Amino acid sequence: MLFKALSAAVYGIDANIIDVEVDFSGIKTTEDHFHTVGLPDAAVRESRDRVRAAIKNSGFDVPPTHITINLAPADIKKEGSGFDLPMAIGILGAYGALQLRDLSQFLLVGELGLDGGLRSVSGMLPVAVAARERGIKNLVIPKANAREAAVVEGVNVYPVESLNQVRELLNAAGNGGIHTEPFRMQTAEMLGELQHFHVDFADVRGQQTAKRALEVAAAGSHNILMIGPPGSGKTMLAKRLPSILAPLSFEEALETTKIHSVAGVLDADAGLVTQRPFRAPHHTISDAGLIGGGAVPRPGEVSLAHNGLLFLDELPEFPRNVLEVMRQPLEDRNVVIARASMSLTFPSAFMLAAAMNPCPCGYFNDKSRECSCTPPMIQRYVSKVSGPLLDRIDIHIEVPAVQYRELRAGAASESSAVIRSRVLAAREIQRERFTKASEKIYSNAQMSTRQIRSFCELGPDAERLLERAMQQQGLTARAHDRILKVARTIADLEGAPSITVPHIAEAIQYRTLDRSYWS
């Protein structure tokens, strides 16, 4: 007897539909012959013991027979415990315990406990997307994964807690229809909810120049590096940067949620990532932890920060090889991880915020403390951050120590809400510009060389100023493009249709912390 069910396997941030074919001989044997074929990994091969126990403890007697389960297509490696449920349903169907014989409109995913209960699995959002694209109407999954899967419209999500509930659901479908209402989520309301932040720029005293630079960075999604002595507020400023970022669109939220779902870090109670991610890995992280990797490639921190912010504190303390592997994601906005059996691409369109001291002791160029470092010590310290990596950071800003009078000032600083209103206005200008030009980008930082020529035209005076800065500071062609992108954002913050001399001058100012800063 042959019985077929449908499941899915996740690769990267996408899922493939898998046919689960169950065949049993009907001849009783003294030993249990249970074989799984179709490139299963260890977790899938071990599922035979879980499936046997779950079926038995759910009240069904499956005598020892020859059971063969094929996971097709057979040339794709199958990983994880999500095949437990379709395998168990396939066995029950093969033995005649199901009234519904055609499961072509049901996709089953879930890990079984020995008692027949269902446990959650990672990557349910890509599975729901794959089901919709394949035209499969019904998705039967563990209850813990319901909110995540219900984000996808066009698929009926049925959350279940046990193998017996799945059998009852399928039998009801075979007897004329399912009377249980599918689980629904109001995604528009979730994204429209007011975002609350525990920190605010109103808490920051002084640092007007740094706050202006962060506002420009947020408005155009530019990478930013803050350099200053210990205690000047670099980390404090970076942690408040998410409070002025533009909210996620539904498409961005969906793509971000897929990555978090695959990585197994998605909040099951939320179901959808509604705020831009903020990731701040420790400087002891490995290159695989930052970029992603492993025998079975998984997203790294740069992908978990997709559509959000990646904060690297104490930048020179990160291993040189870890920082260097970040150059390609900063440029291409995706990470390609190649293995012998597969090559996966993870998106990584993140905004980088980094902070560092100017020297090992931290007080180089500080007016209140004397630096105890020798020039060779400073050179070794700063050389940990390569020139090509610095070139990929749009804004370099000095964050000096805050003076006592500024710390004790009674007047409150500008709040995040006020700054965010200006950022949102600039982002709306960018959205209209790129939509009108049929460009599939969301911010000025994403502009290509061709787009820079189109949207960053300069007048004669601004052209001469930029040329002089390029020659005097020895800036690279990449730095030239970064200056134009930042100038375009500064003009957008002012609502100016074209880039003028003040915009170029301010953008050039944000490059003065290049290598010349330590000379």
Side-chain angles (χ1 to χ4, degrees):
M1 177 68 70
L2 178 66
F3 195 87
K4 295 182 180 181
L6 294 177
S7 190
V10 177
Y11 300 93
I13 62 168
D14 298 311
N16 290 342
I17 303 300
I18 302 297
D19 294 319
V20 181
E21 302 173 334
V22 180
D23 179 76
F24 85 104
S25 64
I27 301 174
K28 295 183 180 181
T29 62
T30 56
E31 297 181 0
D32 185 15
H33 295 276
F34 191 128
H35 302 287
T36 304
V37 297
L39 283 183
D41 73 345
V44 178
R45 288 194 299 270
E46 290 175 355
S47 64
R48 64 181 184 181
D49 299 319
R50 294 193 298 271
V51 169
R52 279 281 194 187
I55 291 175
K56 178 182 177 181
N57 292 323
S58 295
F60 302 97
D61 182 23
V62 178
T65 57
H66 288 276
I67 298 176
T68 302
I69 298 180
N70 179 43
L71 305 176
D75 60 342
I76 298 177
K77 191 172 180 60
K78 318 304 186 304
E79 300 166 342
S81 56
F83 294 102
D84 289 5
L85 179 58
M87 291 167 69
I89 290 297
I91 292 173
L92 292 178
Y95 276 92
L98 293 179
Q99 297 184 23
L100 182 65
R101 308 301 298 174
D102 181 12
L103 299 187
S104 60
Q105 289 302 312
F106 288 85
L107 193 145
L108 311 169
V109 180
E111 177 185 335
L112 284 172
L114 299 183
D115 60 350
L118 278 175
R119 297 178 178 141
S120 64
V121 296
S122 300
M124 193 58 71
L125 181 57
V127 170
V129 173
R132 181 183 64 183
E133 293 175 350
R134 182 76 171 263
I136 302 172
K137 296 180 180 179
N138 306 304
L139 186 60
V140 182
I141 58 173
K143 186 177 181 180
N145 292 121
R147 295 177 66 86
E148 175 186 347
V151 168
V152 180
E153 298 180 355
V155 179
N156 297 322
V157 176
Y158 294 100
V160 289
E161 298 182 82
S162 67
L163 181 60
N164 275 326
Q165 283 190 12
V166 179
R167 177 176 173 270
E168 292 171 0
L169 182 74
L170 297 178
N171 282 340
N175 284 330
I178 302 173
H179 301 295
T180 305
E181 286 294 321
F183 186 83
R184 302 291 185 191
M185 286 277 288
Q186 300 297 326
T187 55
E189 294 181 5
M190 293 174 61
L191 286 174
E193 292 177 356
L194 181 64
Q195 298 186 359
H196 297 282
F197 297 94
H198 300 294
V199 293
D200 196 287
F201 269 98
D203 305 329
V204 182
R205 300 297 182 184
Q207 302 296 7
Q208 298 304 318
T209 302
K211 286 192 283 189
R212 167 63 177 177
L214 289 170
E215 179 181 339
V216 173
S221 192
H222 299 290
N223 302 322
I224 183 170
L225 170 64
M226 294 175 284
I227 304 176
S232 58
K234 302 184 297 296
T235 304
M236 185 180 188
L237 287 164
K239 288 183 177 180
R240 282 153 180 76
L241 187 52
S243 66
I244 62 173
L245 295 178
L248 285 169
S249 65
F250 179 72
E251 291 77 13
E252 289 177 316
L254 197 63
E255 192 172 39
T256 305
T257 305
K258 286 173 69 175
I259 299 171
H260 286 234
S261 174
V262 169
V265 297
L266 181 65
D267 183 4
D269 295 332
L272 183 70
V273 176
T274 58
Q275 293 188 1
R276 294 191 180 275
F278 178 81
R279 307 293 299 186
H282 193 260
H283 60 75
T284 56
I285 192 172
S286 66
D287 52 357
L290 185 66
I291 299 299
V296 179
R298 289 288 182 265
E301 289 293 332
V302 297
S303 295
L304 293 173
H306 180 62
N307 290 323
L309 180 67
L310 177 69
F311 176 50
L312 302 183
D313 201 3
E314 304 295 344
L315 189 65
E317 300 299 331
F318 284 80
R320 178 70 178 260
N321 66 301
V322 173
L323 294 179
E324 291 307 299
V325 297
M326 198 168 55
R327 284 158 55 176
Q328 183 250 340
L330 283 172
E331 198 74 25
D332 300 337
R333 300 185 179 274
N334 61 60
V335 175
V336 179
I337 302 176
R339 294 292 181 267
S341 59
M342 66 182 73
S343 179
L344 299 177
T345 300
F346 295 113
S348 58
F350 61 93
M351 175 182 165
L352 174 65
M356 63 179 287
N357 296 331
C359 65
C361 76
Y363 297 106
F364 180 75
N365 273 354
D366 186 40
K367 297 179 181 179
S368 60
R369 297 282 296 271
E370 184 178 352
C371 176
S372 61
C373 303
T374 63
M377 290 171 60
I378 297 175
Q379 184 60 36
R380 283 194 300 271
Y381 181 76
V382 301
S383 64
K384 295 179 181 179
V385 184
S386 68
L389 180 60
L390 280 176
D391 252 359
R392 288 168 169 81
I393 300 178
D394 305 33
I395 298 174
H396 309 162
I397 188 70
E398 185 177 5
V399 184
V402 182
Q403 300 300 314
Y404 176 80
R405 290 184 178 180
E406 292 179 316
L407 284 174
R408 301 299 299 169
S413 301
E414 206 171 30
S415 68
S416 293
V418 175
I419 300 174
R420 195 183 196 206
S421 65
R422 296 195 295 265
V423 169
L424 293 180
R427 277 300 184 98
E428 181 61 23
I429 292 173
Q430 294 169 52
R431 188 192 66 80
E432 292 179 358
R433 175 190 302 127
F434 299 133
T435 301
K436 187 182 299 183
S438 300
E439 302 288 353
K440 295 182 179 180
I441 57 176
Y442 304 101
S443 65
N444 289 332
Q446 297 176 332
M447 287 192 292
S448 64
T449 302
R450 178 181 58 81
Q451 292 161 345
I452 290 173
R453 292 195 185 100
S454 300
F455 304 124
C456 301
E457 294 183 358
L458 301 180
D461 293 340
E463 193 77 56
R464 283 192 294 271
L465 177 60
L466 180 57
E467 180 182 4
R468 188 165 60 250
M470 292 285 294
Q471 293 173 349
Q472 292 178 353
Q473 298 185 24
L475 300 177
T476 65
R478 184 180 285 114
H480 165 271
D481 290 350
R482 305 281 173 176
I483 289 173
L484 289 176
K485 291 178 182 180
V486 173
R488 180 67 268 174
T489 300
I490 296 170
D492 291 340
L493 281 168
E494 295 184 2
S498 59
I499 300 174
T500 60
V501 170
H503 307 143
I504 286 290
E506 183 177 353
I508 292 172
Q509 171 193 330
Y510 295 140
R511 301 296 305 188
T512 55
L513 296 183
D514 241 321
R515 290 297 180 184
S516 59
Y517 174 78
W518 288 278
S519 59

